[in-house]
Tab-separated table of all heavy atoms in Angstrom:
chain	number	residue	atom	x	y	z
A	65	VAL	N	9.098	30.944	5.136
A	65	VAL	CA	9.699	30.121	6.186
A	65	VAL	C	11.205	29.964	6.008
A	65	VAL	O	11.860	29.293	6.823
A	65	VAL	CB	9.041	28.724	6.257
A	65	VAL	CG1	7.544	28.861	6.481
A	65	VAL	CG2	9.330	27.919	4.999
A	66	LYS	N	11.757	30.573	4.983
A	66	LYS	CA	13.188	30.431	4.708
A	66	LYS	C	14.003	30.930	5.895
A	66	LYS	O	13.706	31.981	6.472
A	66	LYS	CB	13.550	31.199	3.441
A	66	LYS	CG	14.927	30.879	2.896
A	66	LYS	CD	15.083	31.449	1.486
A	66	LYS	CE	14.203	30.755	0.489
A	66	LYS	NZ	14.414	31.246	-0.904
A	67	GLY	N	15.009	30.154	6.261
A	67	GLY	CA	15.853	30.499	7.395
A	67	GLY	C	15.317	29.984	8.725
A	67	GLY	O	16.020	30.023	9.737
A	68	ARG	N	14.071	29.496	8.717
A	68	ARG	CA	13.459	28.965	9.945
A	68	ARG	C	13.127	27.482	9.828
A	68	ARG	O	13.232	26.748	10.811
A	68	ARG	CB	12.184	29.740	10.293
A	68	ARG	CG	12.415	31.215	10.517
A	68	ARG	CD	11.155	31.894	11.059
A	68	ARG	NE	10.042	31.838	10.120
A	68	ARG	CZ	8.883	31.232	10.387
A	68	ARG	NH1	8.687	30.625	11.551
A	68	ARG	NH2	7.911	31.249	9.481
A	69	PHE	N	12.737	27.031	8.644
A	69	PHE	CA	12.357	25.638	8.420
A	69	PHE	C	13.413	24.960	7.547
A	69	PHE	O	13.922	25.562	6.606
A	69	PHE	CB	11.016	25.543	7.699
A	69	PHE	CG	9.821	25.978	8.499
A	69	PHE	CD1	9.959	26.580	9.740
A	69	PHE	CD2	8.543	25.792	7.990
A	69	PHE	CE1	8.848	26.978	10.457
A	69	PHE	CE2	7.424	26.187	8.702
A	69	PHE	CZ	7.572	26.781	9.946
A	70	THR	N	13.710	23.700	7.865
A	70	THR	CA	14.696	22.937	7.100
A	70	THR	C	14.146	21.555	6.776
A	70	THR	O	13.751	20.807	7.677
A	70	THR	CB	16.004	22.777	7.882
A	70	THR	OG1	16.510	24.075	8.228
A	70	THR	CG2	17.041	22.043	7.057
A	71	ILE	N	14.153	21.226	5.487
A	71	ILE	CA	13.706	19.919	5.039
A	71	ILE	C	14.909	18.980	4.931
A	71	ILE	O	16.014	19.402	4.574
A	71	ILE	CB	12.974	20.029	3.682
A	71	ILE	CG1	12.253	18.740	3.322
A	71	ILE	CG2	13.940	20.452	2.574
A	71	ILE	CD1	11.314	18.894	2.111
A	72	SER	N	14.687	17.712	5.250
A	72	SER	CA	15.753	16.719	5.111
A	72	SER	C	15.126	15.347	4.918
A	72	SER	O	13.910	15.187	5.053
A	72	SER	CB	16.681	16.717	6.331
A	72	SER	OG	15.963	16.361	7.505
A	73	ARG	N	15.941	14.377	4.599
A	73	ARG	CA	15.427	13.022	4.375
A	73	ARG	C	16.437	11.986	4.846
A	73	ARG	O	17.651	12.240	4.834
A	73	ARG	CB	15.102	12.820	2.902
A	73	ARG	CG	16.285	12.869	1.965
A	73	ARG	CD	15.835	12.906	0.491
A	73	ARG	NE	14.998	11.750	0.174
A	73	ARG	CZ	14.093	11.767	-0.797
A	73	ARG	NH1	13.899	12.840	-1.538
A	73	ARG	NH2	13.375	10.678	-1.035
A	74	ASP	N	15.913	10.822	5.226
A	74	ASP	CA	16.736	9.667	5.568
A	74	ASP	C	16.214	8.505	4.728
A	74	ASP	O	15.196	7.889	5.077
A	74	ASP	CB	16.624	9.367	7.065
A	74	ASP	CG	17.536	8.232	7.501
A	74	ASP	OD1	17.963	7.423	6.651
A	74	ASP	OD2	17.809	8.133	8.697
A	75	ASN	N	16.884	8.223	3.639
A	75	ASN	CA	16.394	7.203	2.715
A	75	ASN	C	16.466	5.806	3.318
A	75	ASN	O	15.675	4.932	2.959
A	75	ASN	CB	17.178	7.255	1.410
A	75	ASN	CG	16.892	8.522	0.622
A	75	ASN	OD1	15.870	9.170	0.799
A	75	ASN	ND2	17.830	8.898	-0.247
A	76	ALA	N	17.413	5.587	4.220
A	76	ALA	CA	17.507	4.283	4.868
A	76	ALA	C	16.289	3.996	5.738
A	76	ALA	O	15.914	2.837	5.940
A	76	ALA	CB	18.778	4.217	5.704
A	77	ARG	N	15.699	5.047	6.253
A	77	ARG	CA	14.510	4.917	7.100
A	77	ARG	C	13.219	5.246	6.357
A	77	ARG	O	12.141	5.232	6.951
A	77	ARG	CB	14.630	5.838	8.317
A	77	ARG	CG	15.805	5.493	9.238
A	77	ARG	CD	15.897	6.485	10.392
A	77	ARG	NE	17.031	6.200	11.252
A	77	ARG	CZ	16.977	5.407	12.301
A	77	ARG	NH1	15.837	4.804	12.622
A	77	ARG	NH2	18.061	5.195	13.030
A	78	ASN	N	13.334	5.568	5.058
A	78	ASN	CA	12.149	5.962	4.268
A	78	ASN	C	11.361	7.067	4.968
A	78	ASN	O	10.130	7.033	5.066
A	78	ASN	CB	11.223	4.762	4.032
A	78	ASN	CG	11.688	3.872	2.899
A	78	ASN	OD1	12.733	4.113	2.302
A	78	ASN	ND2	10.945	2.832	2.621
A	79	THR	N	12.080	8.060	5.460
A	79	THR	CA	11.461	9.115	6.256
A	79	THR	C	11.892	10.502	5.781
A	79	THR	O	13.068	10.741	5.515
A	79	THR	CB	11.801	8.938	7.750
A	79	THR	OG1	11.359	7.644	8.182
A	79	THR	CG2	11.110	10.000	8.593
A	80	LEU	N	10.919	11.383	5.719
A	80	LEU	CA	11.108	12.794	5.382
A	80	LEU	C	10.926	13.595	6.664
A	80	LEU	O	10.088	13.251	7.503
A	80	LEU	CB	10.075	13.217	4.341
A	80	LEU	CG	10.098	14.652	3.860
A	80	LEU	CD1	11.301	14.877	2.946
A	80	LEU	CD2	8.800	14.983	3.132
Side-chain angles (χ1 to χ4, degrees):
V65 303
K66 193 168 292 184
R68 300 188 297 119
F69 291 8
T70 303
I71 192 170
S72 62
R73 65 190 303 154
D74 184 340
N75 292 338
R77 297 178 182 270
N78 280 2
T79 302
L80 180 73

